[in-house]
């Protein structure tokens, strides 16, 4: 977490005045004041609803008059409401009116869809409500980040009835403070230093004013309102990383709630339990001189430095919460995790709350991975972010680049030393001022043979500029965003992909934005780009969370798929003339609700790219239902098999992927060198209660996927984001790098580097492709390897050059497992730009090769192998041609 002792005060209004503090408290209480503390469960009597909350009766009556005259409810909410839902047009989600407070229930009685209520006096001020037609929000937006403020009653867009995760992380109030401050600063999204100052200072000032107000004679006298006030102050402290202070204030909130008419809610019990469990996690970050075995599910995850009393307090509060609400699967899950941390699982868990060991059992075992990030020197602790693994200085060693969402955290470049360790060269590379990116990816946009970096910012939050960093081929980078034409307009995004849409040899850039039109930047070949999205027919507005590219119909031109958090995704077929046709429905790739990460990959090696799409529901309960084999309320992730005729078939259930996880990052790679691509996903959301282990899914011969997270030791219990698969040791085994960390300073985690155990008995080859007429890094080139496998017979293994998933970037060189084949019969490379094919026969396995477009032979690359943390390199076969 950044040092805040020398922060510069951000200009703008503060909450140190009595009126400002009252307004802030009203804003925070608006959401929570609508629901009784004792009501948390979803029901089947829900309706879509919007709300406007204001401070004065006069203002509420004026707004009511405007509504009667035909004004748009959502527009008025966005402009005038002090409720945290104002940014979503007042959208409360899917709500059962019977669970609301009596005065609200009475006002809603008799209202039909499309009608709005009269003015209602609530604890936070005065409210107006509207019943929606159906359950959809009238304002396309991200799912609300303030569900905890509303007593856990918010549902996802689309009206599903699953239970949202209780968010005691403070992310919602944190965003409220920052967003309202940055709106006062012109050009905020373009100035990275200003973004850093606002992100640091706004929550600090807001919290100081709130705490001063709560201690003053002007504070509310009602214990229920004061309980909410201290709960909110705890959220701010938790968000800022002051977990001791947060727990102290939650305890004050708890004491006040005991004396109020509402009493203690199961939600407050859960919030306290999650707070104590979170502190135990923060206390047990590993040292830098040992492997990190902490917090792996289901083996006892607490580290040696975690306070046993914190874990016991978490168990106590989770148990009390379940006594009040025995049906809450989220709390049952957390109780089991706390017992795992205490070493008392499963025997110490009351039988009615137990998640049995069979829930976590792996049905396959390829060996146990070991987290070697501390020994390798890449165990940075921080917030959510992206990762790239690739060779940035062309020395034959794969480096690691990692970013963090925190606006003050610079991107880090870890140089591979070739002895199992890495050195942070961020400062030498000139990257210290490149801060705050949630997603990053590599590209050689100018074909100079040196990999550049694209940084995407603003995802989930608000607009901030992107950065294109040109690799100067001397170990340094230069920000060329403005001169390349990529600086403006500024929109929030974390989704982008590089592809050569017109086969001119230069990579173009597709960007999916959040609540803004997509952008398609055509590479002019002179270092500049021009946005042709409108002319190309791809400028649709959605809440894009993933953008991926592949030539799904094998016509030689890359196509795009865009996921959406709030509706249908888009499949754009490339017409070959710089225009695209949207064909998702016709092609059979109906997007699941709340889609997120995605990738094209050939999971069955038939030479046709298939499409994998993850769903993202802010519900621990739905994920727990998947573990328990219970009926699901939301959409599962989807695997669409390419049927070779321009259409796809949903094979999710038949391959065993019909589960709901909570993935924020996902990527693929072959972890056992059997020639079939496996999947690893990083889980979670900002809520402290959203504790789900990362998941490794093994691909069994292109027919089925099985969860091997437990047997492999990769089920890290932390917020997972950027994922990359890479042979970082030149050993012929693919390791997994996982960026971990939450969305705010109070939720940092160390990243993990899972060392492949090896010993699978399979062989491999690695191919580095170099384009001549094609783009230099060969993105989009297709590889088909033919082998005669003693276990599987003569078969083909297919790959496409790219970085993998939509959140995390693997190397562009292709590591290809070939099973037990002792030779490689043939390697075919198809270069779509030049429409040429090369064939190389009888290559020796377990070697690194370079393939240059149009060349008649391949070049054998000399590389040394080594282990992490040990300078025990051994030479590979000497280089040459074959």
């Amino acid at each position: 977490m950044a040092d805040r002792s020398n922060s510069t005060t951000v200009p703008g209004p503060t909450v140190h005045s009595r009126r400002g503090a009252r307004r802030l408290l009203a804003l925070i209480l608006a959401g929570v004041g609508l629901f009784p503390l004792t009501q948390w469960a979803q029901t089947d009597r829900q309706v879509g609803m919007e709300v406007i909350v204001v401070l004065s009766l006069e203002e509420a009556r004026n707004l009511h008059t405007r509504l009667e005259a035909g004004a748009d409810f959502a527009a008025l909410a966005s402009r005038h409401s002090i409720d945290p839902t104002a940014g979503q047009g007042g959208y409360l989600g899917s709500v059962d009116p019977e669970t609301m407070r009596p005065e609200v229930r009475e006002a809603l009685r008799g209202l039909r869809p499309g009608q709005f209520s009269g003015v209602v006096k609530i604890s936070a001020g005065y409210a107006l409500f509207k019943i929606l037609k159906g359950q959809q929000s009238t304002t396309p937006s991200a799912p609300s980040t303030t569900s905890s403020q509303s007593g856990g009653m918010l549902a996802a867009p689309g009206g599903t009835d699953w239970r949202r995760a209780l968010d005691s992380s403070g992310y919602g109030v944190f965003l409220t403070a920052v967003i309202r401050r940055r709106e006062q600063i012109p050009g905020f999204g373009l100035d990275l230093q200003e973004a850093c100052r606002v992100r640091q200072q706004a929550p600090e000032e807001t919290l100081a004013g709130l705490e001063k107000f709560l201690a003053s004679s002007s504070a509310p006298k009602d214990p229920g309102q004061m309980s909410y006030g201290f709960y909110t102050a705890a959220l701010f402290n938790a968000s800022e990383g002051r977990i001791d202070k947060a727990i102290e204030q939650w305890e004050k909130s708890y004491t006040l709630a005991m004396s109020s008419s509402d009493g203690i809610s199961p939600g407050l019990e859960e919030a306290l339990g999650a707070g104590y469990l979170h502190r135990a996690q923060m206390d047990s970050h590993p040292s830098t001189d040992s492997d990190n075995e902490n917090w792996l599910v289901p083996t006892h995850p607490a580290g040696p430095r975690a306070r046993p009393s914190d874990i016991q307090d978490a168990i106590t509060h989770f148990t009390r919460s379940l006594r009040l609400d025995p049906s809450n699967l989220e709390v049952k899950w957390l109780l089991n995790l706390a017992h795992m941390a205490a070493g008392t699982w499963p025997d110490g868990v009351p039988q009615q709350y137990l998640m049995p060991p069979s829930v976590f059992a792996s049905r396959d075992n390829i060996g146990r991975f070991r987290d070697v990030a501390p020994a390798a020197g890449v165990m940075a602790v921080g917030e959510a972010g992206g990762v790239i693994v690739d060779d940035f200085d062309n020395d034959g060693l794969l480096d690691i680049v990692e970013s963090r969402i925190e606006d003050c955290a610079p991107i880090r470049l870890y140089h591979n030393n070739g002895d199992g360790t890495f050195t942070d060269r961020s400062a030498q590379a000139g990257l210290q001022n490149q801060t705050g990116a949630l997603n990053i990816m590599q590209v050689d946009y100018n074909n100079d043979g040196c990999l550049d970096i694209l940084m995407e910012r603003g995802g989930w939050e608000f607009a901030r500029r992107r950065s294109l960093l040109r690799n100067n081929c001397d170990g340094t980078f230069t920000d060329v965003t403005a001169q390349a034409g990529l600086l403006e307009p500024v929109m929030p995004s974390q989704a982008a992909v590089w592809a050569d849409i017109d086969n001119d040899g230069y990579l173009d850039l597709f960007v999916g934005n959040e609540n803004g039109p997509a952008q398609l930047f055509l590479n002019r070949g002179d270092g500049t780009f021009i946005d042709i999205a409108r002319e190309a027919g791809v400028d649709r507005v959605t809440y894009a969370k993933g953008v991926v590219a592949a030539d799904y119909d094998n016509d030689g031109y890359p196509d795009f798929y865009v996921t959406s958090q709030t509706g249908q995704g888009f499949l754009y077929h490339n017409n070959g003339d710089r225009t695209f046709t949207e064909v998702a429905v016709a092609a059979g790739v109906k997007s699941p609700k709340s889609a997120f990460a995605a990738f094209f990959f050939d999971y069955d090696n038939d030479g046709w790219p298939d499409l994998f799409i993850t769903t993202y529901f802010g519900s621990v309960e739905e994920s727990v239902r998947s573990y328990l084999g219970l009926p699901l309320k939301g959409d599962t992730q989807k695997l669409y098999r390419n049927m070779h005729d321009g259409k796809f078939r949903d094979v999710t259930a038949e391959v065993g992927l019909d589960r709901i996880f909570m993935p924020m990052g996902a990527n693929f790679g072959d972890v056992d060198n059997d020639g079939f691509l496996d999947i690893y996903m990083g889980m979670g959301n900002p809520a402290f209660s959203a504790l789900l282990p990362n998941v490794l899914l093994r691909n069994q011969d292109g027919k089925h996927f099985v969860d091997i997270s437990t047997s492999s030791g990769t089920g890290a219990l932390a917020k997972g984001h950027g994922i990359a698969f890479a042979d970082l040791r030149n050993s012929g085994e693919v390791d997994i790098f996982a960026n971990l960390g939450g969305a705010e300073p109070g939720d940092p985690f160390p990243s993990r580097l899972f060392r492949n155990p090896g010993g699978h008995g399979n062989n491999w080859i690695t191919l580095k492709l170099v384009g001549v007429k094609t783009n230099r890094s060969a993105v989009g080139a297709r590889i088909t390897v033919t082998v005669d496998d003693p276990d599987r017979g003569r078969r083909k293994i297919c790959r496409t050059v790219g970085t993998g998933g939509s959140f995390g970037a693997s190397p562009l060189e292709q590591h290809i497992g070939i099973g037990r084949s002792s030779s490689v019969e043939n390697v075919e490379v198809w270069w779509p730009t030049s429409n040429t094919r090369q064939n190389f026969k009888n290559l020796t396995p377990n070697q690194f090769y370079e393939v240059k477009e149009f060349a008649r032979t391949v070049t054998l690359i000399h590389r040394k192998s080594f282990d992490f943390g040990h300078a025990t390199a051994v030479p590979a076969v000497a280089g040459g041609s074959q």
Side-chain angles (χ1 to χ4, degrees):
M1 188 165 53
D3 180 8
R4 305 186 175 208
S5 59
N6 297 316
S7 299
T8 303
T9 301
V10 178
T14 69
V15 295
H16 292 291
S17 68
R18 182 175 299 177
R19 177 178 173 80
R22 282 190 177 277
R23 183 173 180 83
L24 171 71
L25 187 57
L27 183 147
I28 300 301
L29 296 183
V32 293
L34 301 177
F35 305 94
L37 275 172
T38 53
Q39 297 293 335
W40 287 78
Q42 297 278 341
T43 76
D44 58 2
R45 300 185 298 273
Q46 295 167 353
V47 294
M49 193 178 300
E50 292 172 338
V51 65
I52 299 171
V53 180
V54 293
L55 290 174
S56 72
L57 177 60
E58 180 182 5
E59 185 178 8
R61 286 173 173 169
N62 288 338
L63 292 175
H64 189 270
T65 299
R66 294 174 64 180
L67 290 170
E68 288 181 321
D72 181 75
F73 193 100
L76 292 182
S78 297
R79 191 166 188 175
H80 298 282
S81 181
I82 63 169
D83 189 78
T85 61
Q88 289 85 42
Y91 183 53
L92 276 173
S94 183
V95 177
D96 178 7
E98 292 303 311
T99 65
M100 303 181 82
R101 292 186 177 277
E103 63 272 24
V104 178
R105 288 202 306 269
E106 185 61 32
L108 296 175
R109 202 173 307 281
L111 288 185
R112 296 189 298 274
Q115 294 183 331
F116 53 86
S117 72
V119 177
V120 185
K121 177 70 173 72
I122 64 173
S123 60
Y126 299 87
L128 298 160
F129 297 88
K130 180 180 179 180
I131 305 295
L132 300 178
K133 296 177 180 179
Q135 294 179 324
Q136 290 278 2
S137 168
T138 58
T139 303
S141 63
S144 172
T145 56
T146 57
S147 60
S148 65
Q149 319 294 350
S150 301
M153 293 300 302
L154 297 185
T160 52
D161 61 351
W162 41 264
R163 189 195 306 256
R164 292 188 66 88
L166 171 69
D167 187 2
S168 57
S169 71
Y171 189 59
V173 294
F174 164 78
L175 281 185
T176 298
V178 174
I179 288 174
R180 293 189 176 247
R181 177 61 57 79
R182 61 101 184 175
E183 288 173 347
Q184 312 295 321
I185 303 172
F188 169 83
L190 289 169
D191 189 334
L192 298 181
Q193 292 184 340
E194 192 67 32
C196 170
R197 286 194 291 269
V198 170
R199 195 177 184 97
Q200 286 184 330
Q201 201 69 23
E204 296 277 358
E205 290 185 351
T206 304
L207 176 60
L210 177 58
E211 290 181 334
K212 182 178 180 180
F213 174 67
L214 290 172
S216 73
S217 59
S218 301
K221 302 299 185 279
D222 176 70
Q225 286 198 7
M226 283 297 289
S227 175
Y228 285 128
F230 279 110
Y231 184 90
T232 303
L235 293 180
F236 271 108
N237 277 303
S239 174
E240 291 299 282
R242 292 186 286 266
I243 189 66
D244 292 344
K245 184 68 173 179
I247 289 175
E248 176 187 324
Q249 289 171 327
W250 271 318
E251 291 286 5
K252 288 182 180 179
S253 174
Y254 191 90
T255 301
L256 287 163
M258 289 180 67
S259 63
S260 74
S261 58
D262 289 320
I264 301 297
S265 74
L268 186 53
E269 295 281 12
E270 181 184 353
L272 262 169
Y276 279 114
L277 190 61
H278 186 73
R279 185 163 69 179
Q281 281 190 292
M282 296 302 99
D283 284 348
S284 57
H285 289 332
S287 63
T288 58
D289 58 355
S290 63
D291 297 340
N292 181 9
E293 293 294 328
N294 302 340
W295 300 96
L296 297 177
V297 171
T299 54
H300 311 315
R305 291 181 288 182
R307 284 177 264 189
S309 61
D310 279 348
I311 299 171
Q312 289 303 320
D313 284 338
I315 290 172
T316 297
H317 285 291
F318 292 146
T319 303
R320 289 174 180 171
S321 181
L322 286 169
R323 288 171 185 161
L324 294 170
D325 183 5
S327 66
N328 194 320
L329 286 178
E330 174 175 304
V331 182
K332 286 184 182 179
W333 174 265
L334 292 171
L335 177 63
N336 279 260
L337 295 184
H339 274 284
M340 290 176 192
T344 53
W345 180 87
D347 295 340
V349 184
Q351 192 62 36
Q352 68 270 31
Y353 303 142
L354 177 65
M355 303 284 177
S358 60
V359 168
F360 304 97
S362 295
R363 288 182 292 162
D364 205 345
N365 189 350
I366 64 169
R368 191 166 182 85
F369 288 64
R370 195 164 50 91
D371 176 18
V372 296
V378 292
M379 197 202 68
V381 178
E383 299 173 39
V387 62
I388 306 167
V389 177
D390 219 317
D391 184 359
F392 284 91
D393 55 0
N394 292 325
D395 64 353
L397 300 167
L398 297 176
D399 310 303
I400 298 173
V401 179
E402 190 175 19
S403 68
R404 302 286 181 173
I405 190 175
E406 206 271 311
D407 282 300
C408 300
I411 192 172
R412 291 177 179 267
L413 169 61
Y414 296 103
H415 176 261
N416 191 330
N417 299 321
D419 62 359
T421 66
F422 293 77
T423 299
D424 188 341
R425 289 192 179 174
S426 310
Q428 298 95 311
L431 297 174
Q432 62 269 33
N433 293 322
Q434 294 295 332
T435 55
L438 187 56
N439 198 12
I440 54 177
M441 61 206 71
Q442 75 272 41
V443 60
D444 184 1
Y445 78 94
N446 56 1
N447 288 338
D448 65 355
C450 301
L451 290 176
D452 316 297
I453 299 172
L454 178 74
M455 303 175 68
E456 289 286 297
R457 299 185 177 94
W460 297 113
E461 296 183 351
F462 36 83
R464 294 201 284 294
R465 57 163 289 187
R466 67 180 65 90
S467 290
L468 178 63
L469 309 178
R470 185 187 66 211
N471 189 332
N472 299 318
C473 300
D474 61 0
T476 67
F477 292 80
T478 299
D479 188 334
V480 296
T481 319
Q483 65 194 67
L486 298 178
L487 186 62
E488 297 185 86
V490 176
M491 286 185 276
S493 177
Q494 66 178 58
V497 68
W498 294 89
D500 185 356
I501 66 167
D502 53 0
N503 283 330
D504 67 348
Y506 289 94
L507 289 170
D508 311 298
L509 175 63
F510 189 109
V511 178
N513 294 304
E514 298 177 0
N515 285 346
Q519 297 164 291
L520 177 56
F521 293 101
L522 185 72
N523 191 331
R524 290 166 159 166
D526 61 358
T528 67
F529 297 79
I530 183 172
D531 187 357
I532 63 167
R534 177 168 294 183
E535 306 94 280
V538 297
D539 62 334
R540 286 172 171 81
V541 176
T542 190
Y543 202 83
K545 299 309 297 179
V547 178
V548 289
D551 178 9
Y552 75 87
D553 56 354
N554 286 347
D555 66 353
Y557 290 92
D559 313 295
F560 295 114
Y561 187 81
V562 181
T563 67
S564 175
Q565 184 69 16
T566 55
Q568 176 63 42
F570 305 125
L571 176 61
Y572 291 114
H573 175 260
N574 191 329
N575 300 321
D577 59 1
R578 297 183 180 175
T579 69
F580 293 77
T581 301
E582 205 289 305
V583 296
V585 174
V589 286
K590 180 182 178 183
S591 179
K593 295 187 181 79
S594 298
F596 193 175
F599 45 76
F600 284 101
F601 75 144
D602 191 353
Y603 82 94
D604 55 0
N605 284 324
D606 66 354
W608 296 78
D610 310 297
L611 178 60
F612 179 70
I613 307 170
T614 68
T615 52
Y616 184 75
F617 298 103
S619 172
V620 173
E621 181 175 90
E622 283 303 284
S623 295
V624 174
R625 284 178 173 274
S626 282
Y627 276 97
L628 297 176
L630 298 175
L632 303 174
K633 299 178 182 180
D635 286 345
T636 68
Q637 56 195 347
K638 295 292 183 183
L639 177 61
Y640 292 104
R641 184 173 185 266
N642 194 322
M643 301 308 294
H644 312 175
D645 59 358
K647 295 184 179 180
F648 295 78
R649 182 170 68 87
D650 186 348
V651 296
T652 310
E654 65 188 72
V655 301
L657 291 176
D658 52 337
R659 297 174 63 182
I660 291 178
F661 295 105
M662 197 187 290
M664 296 182 285
N667 213 329
F668 58 86
D670 184 359
V671 294
D672 55 357
N673 283 336
D674 65 353
F676 293 95
L677 293 168
D678 312 297
I679 298 171
Y680 189 67
M681 296 185 289
M683 305 299 175
N685 75 17
F688 286 172
S689 62
L691 284 176
L692 294 162
N694 288 4
V695 170
L696 179 59
L697 302 170
R698 188 190 182 203
N699 184 341
Q700 295 182 319
D701 292 348
K703 299 174 182 177
H704 203 267
F705 288 83
V706 295
D707 187 342
I708 60 170
S709 310
T710 297
S711 63
S712 64
T714 57
L717 191 67
K719 309 301 172 59
H721 289 84
I723 304 294
F725 289 77
D727 180 6
L728 281 158
R729 299 167 285 147
N730 289 338
S731 65
E733 305 287 350
V734 171
D735 309 303
I736 302 174
F737 188 91
N739 168 274
L740 302 179
E744 52 202 323
D747 200 12
F749 280 92
S751 295
R752 293 194 184 240
L753 174 53
F754 288 107
R755 180 194 184 278
N756 194 311
H760 311 301
N762 295 322
N763 297 315
W764 54 275
I765 62 170
T766 294
L767 301 176
K768 179 180 180 179
L769 272 57
V770 179
V772 177
K773 184 176 181 180
T774 299
N775 67 87
R776 178 71 176 266
S777 50
V779 170
R782 306 282 285 273
I783 301 168
T784 303
V785 177
T786 303
V787 296
D788 190 359
D789 190 328
D791 295 330
R792 301 175 177 89
R794 194 171 186 272
R795 64 181 176 125
K796 296 182 183 298
I797 302 167
C798 304
R799 298 289 184 267
T800 301
V801 177
T803 62
S806 60
F807 208 149
S810 300
L812 291 169
E813 68 177 28
Q814 296 298 297
H815 175 94
I816 304 171
I818 59 174
R820 293 180 58 214
S821 305
S822 59
S823 66
V824 177
E825 289 188 5
N826 188 66
V827 171
E828 179 185 87
V829 180
W830 174 34
W831 303 84
T833 296
S834 60
N835 196 22
T836 58
R837 296 177 189 267
Q838 297 165 295
N839 286 276
F840 307 100
K841 298 187 180 300
N842 300 320
L843 298 187
T844 303
N846 304 331
Q847 302 296 333
F848 300 87
Y849 297 95
E850 180 179 285
V851 179
K852 194 169 185 177
E853 189 176 14
F854 305 125
R856 293 179 178 270
T857 61
V858 299
T859 301
L860 190 62
I861 304 173
H862 173 85
R863 289 187 183 174
K864 62 180 181 179
S865 63
F866 45 86
D867 205 352
F868 289 115
H870 304 285
T872 55
V874 295
V877 175
S881 295
Q882 189 167 340

